[in-house]
Amino acid sequence: MALVRTGRRPARRDLRPPRLEPAGARLEDGHRPVGRPPHVLFRSPHLSWSPQLNAAPADQIRLLDVQALDIRLSQLAHKRRSLPEHAEIESLTKDLTQLRDLLVAAQTEESDCAREQKKAEQDVDQVRQRAVRDQQRLDSGAITSPKDLENLQREIVSLSKRQGDLEDVVLEVMERRESAQERVNELTERVSSVQTKVDDATARRDRAQDELDAEAAAVAKERELVAGSVPADLMKLYEKIRGQQGGVGAARLYQRRCEGCHIELNITEVNDVRSAPADSVLRCENCRRILVRTSESGL
């Protein structure tokens, strides 16, 4: 039997799997926008929730207590780092270092002057002893030659002048040494005074740190107790977000405003929150923090 060509090609069957259109919102950590059935996805400007994570309202409110304690711990740590005594000690220590350097320089100068004075005094003593010997020779009458006597007398005069010059050097060195000693004494007193201030500031800093450490230990203990009463999965999510959001993982919804990012919800978002189950864990879409509903949420 002959085949008749009709000019129309039979339709090809598409064997590819159907393509799924992308949803209007990207799901994160199993979260889904609030207020819609599971088969209808949308991206709310500010809110999302997870059907995989539920927690009793009381547990979510206790999470706010944990957050408040974490904030207090951060404040105490910041206060500890920012104690005014830190800057005071740093400034005093810098002054003390400079004064000690000046004191070492003054002590070195005094020591150099002492050596110079000793050397000059030895030179004077040598000239004096030689002059004494020459004078004794002259007075002994042992030298009879007029020329030798003249030379000896000339030498005695020269030694006397040399002794006078050396004694002037000794006096000048003594004056410089005395000035250096006064400088050493002055700097020693200043170093002692500043060191006393450093010790006082250090003691005040240590007392303040001990008080802050004691308070932080008490807060940490209370935090441990409160966190222990919050479900583990909720705490795990909180800790993860807190690490990503500068230490704040949960925020209260107060008068329709997220206290984490201070963004106010619009009417659609408010309705979404109202329709969300009470045990749903909501998250602010703007800052991604856990959004906790309370009696003051303005719903």
Side-chain angles (χ1 to χ4, degrees), residues 12-210:
R12 296 177 61 186
R13 184 179 181 183
D14 192 350
L15 300 179
R16 293 177 299 175
R19 180 181 178 184
L20 298 179
E21 293 297 329
R26 181 169 57 90
L27 302 183
E28 295 184 12
D29 300 330
H31 283 72
R32 189 179 68 204
V34 301
R36 296 291 187 274
H39 63 281
V40 180
L41 300 180
F42 79 107
R43 184 176 182 85
S44 172
H46 297 125
L47 297 174
S48 61
W49 70 292
S50 172
Q52 298 178 2
L53 180 58
N54 298 300
D59 291 335
Q60 296 187 42
I61 291 177
R62 276 196 295 273
L63 192 62
L64 291 179
D65 296 333
V66 175
Q67 178 66 81
L69 293 171
D70 281 336
I71 290 176
R72 182 55 183 159
L73 287 173
S74 297
Q75 291 172 340
L76 290 172
H78 175 74
K79 187 174 181 180
R80 193 182 194 278
R81 293 190 301 269
S82 305
L83 286 172
E85 286 79 8
H86 290 311
E88 182 180 358
I89 292 172
E90 182 179 359
S91 176
L92 288 171
T93 301
K94 184 181 297 183
D95 293 342
L96 186 60
T97 300
Q98 294 176 348
L99 287 173
R100 283 175 173 166
D101 290 342
L102 292 174
L103 177 58
V104 170
Q107 290 172 333
T108 301
E109 181 181 359
E110 193 276 334
S111 178
D112 292 342
C113 287
R115 286 195 298 271
E116 188 176 351
Q117 179 182 342
K118 182 178 180 180
K119 176 65 169 56
E121 289 174 345
Q122 290 175 346
D123 292 343
V124 170
D125 189 57
Q126 289 176 357
V127 172
R128 184 186 296 113
Q129 291 178 4
R130 183 173 178 181
V132 169
R133 288 196 302 269
D134 287 349
Q135 188 64 44
Q136 290 175 346
R137 290 178 60 196
L138 181 64
D139 295 340
S140 67
I143 301 177
T144 58
S145 171
K147 184 177 180 180
D148 292 341
L149 287 173
E150 183 181 357
N151 291 337
L152 185 58
Q153 289 173 342
R154 188 180 300 113
E155 183 177 347
I156 291 175
V157 172
S158 176
L159 290 173
S160 176
K161 183 177 183 303
R162 174 63 175 164
Q163 179 179 337
D165 292 340
L166 291 174
E167 288 175 345
D168 289 341
V169 171
V170 170
L171 290 175
E172 187 271 333
V173 174
M174 290 177 63
E175 290 177 355
R176 285 194 286 113
R177 183 182 181 185
E178 182 179 354
S179 176
Q181 289 174 333
E182 292 177 355
R183 180 68 170 160
V184 167
N185 294 334
E186 175 195 355
L187 289 171
T188 300
E189 292 179 0
R190 292 175 63 184
V191 166
S192 177
S193 176
V194 174
Q195 182 63 62
T196 299
K197 294 179 180 179
V198 170
D199 294 341
D200 176 68
T202 301
R204 285 187 280 109
R205 180 203 63 188
D206 292 344
R207 287 195 299 270
Q209 287 183 340
D210 289 343

